[in-house]
Amino acid sequence: MGENIDFRRWDELIPDALGLIFKNLPLQEILTVVPRVCKSWRKAVTGPYCWQDIDIEQWSQQCRPETLDRMLQMLITRSSGSLRKLCVTGLANDQSLSLIADNAKSLQTLRLPRSEISDSIVEQVAGRLFSVTFLDVSYCRNIGAPALEAIGKNCKLLMGLRRTMHPLEVIDKLSQDDEAFAIATTMPKLKQLEVAYLLISTEAVLKILENCPELELLDVRGCWNVKLDENCIKKFTRLKVVGPLVVDYFGMKGCDDCSNYSGSSGYLAWDFVAGNVGSDYDDEISDGDWEDDHSMEDVEMRFYDGFDLDNAAFDWPLSP
């Protein structure tokens, strides 16, 4: 005799449970499909339940700056102060960083590669980023030592910093030792540091090693002026050094939580493949890229009952 099993209807699930499920969907479906299904699903995607972790890094590579600004405003507002992780590429102005900082009381992971942010705005908002433990400011050409110093002085919990640059972006610089010294003097709890292709010296790296005793991963690929011998590396039993020689780029993948770098020290070599620097993504959108080499279709994101979704319309790059 079969047992009677009481199945709960999908529209009766609490918003927290629905949010955990919807977080696994592609961004476009969360914003344009799910809200049309029923009122309980609409409530789930317009509340903070889906937006504690916001990863639009891949999508933001293909959208216009004004579209990105509107998207950030909408999603950060929905997080209602519960934002824990934000990954976005190419912030076009300082105002966007200010918006993020205003909602960063729970923020732990912040990835802003290729953003047009300045030293001055970082110095202004760093005090509001106090909970950040991992920061990615790779390929941010307009910041330097002042920004890194402000981050180090205010982000006391920082354990991971990614400050990778493209070789062509530093070709006009003589030295970036000031950035390395800013890191060394203000970020003692670092466990992961990636400064590939920065123009830094051996002296600057040794200063980092001296002042960051918990360091487990140091990426100095392409830092051609850095000369570290085996005896120097052996002093740091937990440390793995990547570079400065370049042999196999794809063997190395950055990590946000700094927890996977332990064990014996190593002096490793990795490859630089032009055009693929920084192409690692921890939480890629599952349905692949939305290509922008074809026509753009404006999608008015409205609920099934005609409610205007945050009064916003976004351009979604769609494949043909």
Side-chain angles (χ1 to χ4, degrees), residues 97-239:
L97 181 58
S98 183
L99 169 67
I100 293 168
D102 287 341
N103 296 270
K105 64 180 181 180
S106 301
L107 188 61
Q108 297 175 353
T109 298
L110 180 59
R111 298 179 57 171
L112 305 171
R114 298 178 177 85
S115 292
E116 299 297 324
I117 54 178
S118 65
D119 282 328
S120 60
I121 190 61
V122 174
E123 291 174 308
Q124 291 175 35
V125 306
R128 285 173 272 165
L129 301 174
F130 57 86
S131 62
V132 170
T133 60
F134 180 89
L135 177 66
D136 184 353
V137 286
S138 296
Y139 319 112
C140 295
R141 299 169 296 178
N142 298 332
I143 64 171
L148 295 178
E149 183 177 354
I151 290 166
K153 288 181 176 179
N154 290 279
C155 303
K156 299 297 185 181
L157 302 177
L158 194 66
M159 293 188 295
L161 175 66
R162 186 174 298 160
R163 177 62 176 146
T164 299
M165 299 297 290
H166 192 284
L168 296 180
E169 293 174 334
V170 299
I171 198 170
D172 60 337
K173 298 182 182 294
L174 295 177
S175 173
Q176 292 174 290
D177 274 355
D178 57 343
E179 293 193 21
F181 288 129
I183 293 169
T185 56
T186 64
M187 304 179 188
K189 294 186 178 181
L190 282 183
K191 292 186 177 181
Q192 173 189 348
L193 176 60
E194 300 176 43
V195 289
Y197 293 93
L198 252 61
L199 298 177
I200 55 178
S201 65
T202 302
E203 178 187 2
V205 172
L206 292 176
K207 189 69 173 178
I208 290 173
L209 296 180
E210 176 186 341
N211 290 6
C212 303
E214 300 180 28
L215 202 60
E216 296 178 4
L217 173 69
L218 175 62
D219 178 4
V220 289
R221 287 171 299 141
C223 301
W224 308 119
N225 294 327
V226 175
K227 309 295 180 184
L228 299 175
D229 58 43
E230 291 291 337
N231 293 330
C232 175
I233 299 301
K234 287 178 181 178
K235 296 178 183 178
F236 307 94
T237 56
R238 294 188 301 174
L239 179 65

Side-chain angles (χ1 to χ4, degrees), residues 60-127:
S60 58
Q61 293 181 47
Q62 306 172 60
C63 71
R64 297 192 295 265
E66 59 273 18
T67 303
L68 176 56
D69 288 343
R70 295 203 308 273
M71 179 69 82
L72 277 176
Q73 177 72 57
M74 184 182 73
L75 299 186
I76 290 176
T77 299
R78 288 185 179 188
S79 71
S80 301
S82 64
L83 184 61
R84 296 177 304 189
K85 178 178 180 179
L86 176 62
C87 305
V88 57
T89 293
L91 295 184
N93 52 62
D94 289 348
Q95 288 72 25
S96 295
L97 181 58
S98 183
L99 169 67
I100 293 168
D102 287 341
N103 296 270
K105 64 180 181 180
S106 301
L107 188 61
Q108 297 175 353
T109 298
L110 180 59
R111 298 179 57 171
L112 305 171
R114 298 178 177 85
S115 292
E116 299 297 324
I117 54 178
S118 65
D119 282 328
S120 60
I121 190 61
V122 174
E123 291 174 308
Q124 291 175 35
V125 306

Side-chain angles (χ1 to χ4, degrees), residues 294-306:
H294 299 279
S295 60
M296 303 276 286
E297 179 179 343
D298 291 341
V299 178
E300 280 286 339
M301 296 186 300
R302 299 180 183 273
F303 293 130
Y304 73 99
D305 59 357

Side-chain angles (χ1 to χ4, degrees), residues 15 18-19 22 30-31 34-36 38-51 74-80 301-303 307-310:
L18 287 172
F22 295 153
I30 296 177
L31 294 177
V34 173
R36 295 188 174 100
C38 63
K39 291 183 178 180
S40 64
W41 287 23
R42 177 183 70 191
K43 181 179 179 181
V45 298
T46 55
Y49 316 104
C50 289
W51 310 112
M74 184 182 73
L75 299 186
I76 290 176
T77 299
R78 288 185 179 188
S79 71
S80 301
M301 296 186 300
R302 299 180 183 273
F303 293 130
F307 181 77
D308 190 350
L309 186 62
D310 293 322

